[in-house]
Amino acid sequence: EMIGIFDRDEDPHRDLAKSIFPLQEIGKEERTVAKGIWFGKIYGGGSENVVKEAILKAKPTARYDPAEGLRVARAFEDRFHVFVGWCGYQFMKLKTDGYVETLTGRRRRCLLITNDNKDEMRKAAINAPIQGTAGEIANIAFTRLSQQGFQCLLSIHDAVLVQVPDVSLNSDARRVLDVMLDVAREIVPGVKWKADLEVGKRWGSLMKWKPAE
């Protein structure tokens, strides 16, 4: 279901909003709630708590309705039951094997789960494979770009910062984008990957790259 959203070139946040809000038109507020739910789940939060936080953040002046929050949480779990099942499996694996791992095999270990740390460990069991794999994609791309002669400055979470001459900006931008996508496809095949590329004189003033004609 999740892969299908990307295959159809759809916005995952708007797609989720359509399935949890019975509205003809999905506005910015509904999309913001859906985005909060997605990121909350990726960080390992429980469905009802994630939904409550997402709604209150998007609608700070609204009064939270627990019944509506429960309905939204159940709608998410019904739509993405495979993801919900995977989350449960990850925590069970952490408890049984003492670790979870990224798609390249890097492990996040926890040899002792107690009542005091089980919530934290449940979140780590879900988040570590997701964010860890994203970080590895960026780090491998960083290494390959360096090997190709690029001046790579930083790897930040799931992004790389590269310095290139103005004269070769267009061709270098294409090469950077190709390397990022190639690495992603190697590690997670079968997904219609996309990568955002921004350019600028300073990190704080980057703008979306538009290929020169």
Side-chain angles (χ1 to χ4, degrees):
E1 183 67 30
M2 295 170 72
I3 292 174
I5 295 171
F6 290 95
D7 286 343
R8 296 190 297 270
D9 286 328
E10 295 181 0
D11 176 352
H13 307 313
R14 187 168 294 278
D15 179 89
L16 174 60
K18 289 179 182 177
S19 65
I20 60 178
F21 293 112
L23 302 172
Q24 291 292 328
E25 296 289 335
I26 297 298
K28 182 178 179 180
E29 194 173 79
E30 289 76 29
R31 184 186 182 279
T32 299
V33 171
K35 183 177 180 179
I37 293 172
W38 267 129
F39 280 98
K41 293 299 295 180
I42 288 172
Y43 277 99
S47 295
E48 291 183 46
N49 287 336
V50 163
V51 168
K52 181 178 181 179
E53 290 177 9
I55 290 175
L56 291 177
K57 186 174 181 179
K59 308 175 182 180
T61 61
R63 182 177 180 180
Y64 178 71
D65 181 356
E68 173 65 6
L70 180 62
R71 184 196 67 77
V72 171
R74 294 294 175 263
F76 175 89
E77 292 177 349
D78 290 345
R79 173 84 186 280
F80 298 103
H81 60 276
V82 174
F83 173 71
V84 173
W86 176 84
C87 293
Y89 166 79
Q90 288 298 115
F91 187 47
M92 184 61 65
K93 177 177 175 59
L94 184 64
K95 291 193 291 185
T96 303
D97 299 337
Y99 69 88
V100 292
E101 56 189 354
T102 65
L103 291 182
T104 66
R106 184 161 57 94
R107 293 180 176 181
R108 168 69 158 89
R109 299 181 183 275
C110 177
L111 301 181
L112 180 64
I113 298 177
T114 67
N115 286 333
D116 291 334
N117 73 358
K118 67 178 181 180
D119 288 339
E120 179 185 349
M121 289 301 100
R122 181 183 290 107
K123 293 177 180 179
I126 298 166
N127 181 248
I130 296 173
Q131 278 204 298
T133 298
E136 287 164 355
I137 290 172
N139 288 336
I140 293 171
F142 185 96
T143 301
R144 290 190 185 176
L145 289 166
S146 297
Q147 292 169 342
Q148 293 180 20
F150 283 94
Q151 187 177 358
C152 297
L153 305 180
L154 289 172
S155 173
I156 318 105
H157 300 303
D158 58 353
V160 296
L161 186 65
V162 182
Q163 183 168 289
V164 301
D166 287 346
V167 67
S168 59
L169 173 61
N170 206 50
S171 59
D172 285 345
R174 291 182 186 277
R175 287 172 60 195
V176 170
L177 193 61
D178 287 343
V179 169
M180 290 288 286
L181 292 173
D182 285 345
V183 173
R185 292 177 187 127
E186 289 172 18
I187 295 177
V188 192
V191 176
K192 191 175 181 180
W193 280 95
K194 290 184 177 181
D196 295 325
L197 196 149
E198 297 178 330
V199 300
K201 294 291 185 181
R202 296 176 179 82
W203 191 359
S205 60
L206 299 179
M207 299 181 66
K208 188 172 182 179
W209 174 60
K210 295 181 180 180
E213 296 296 335

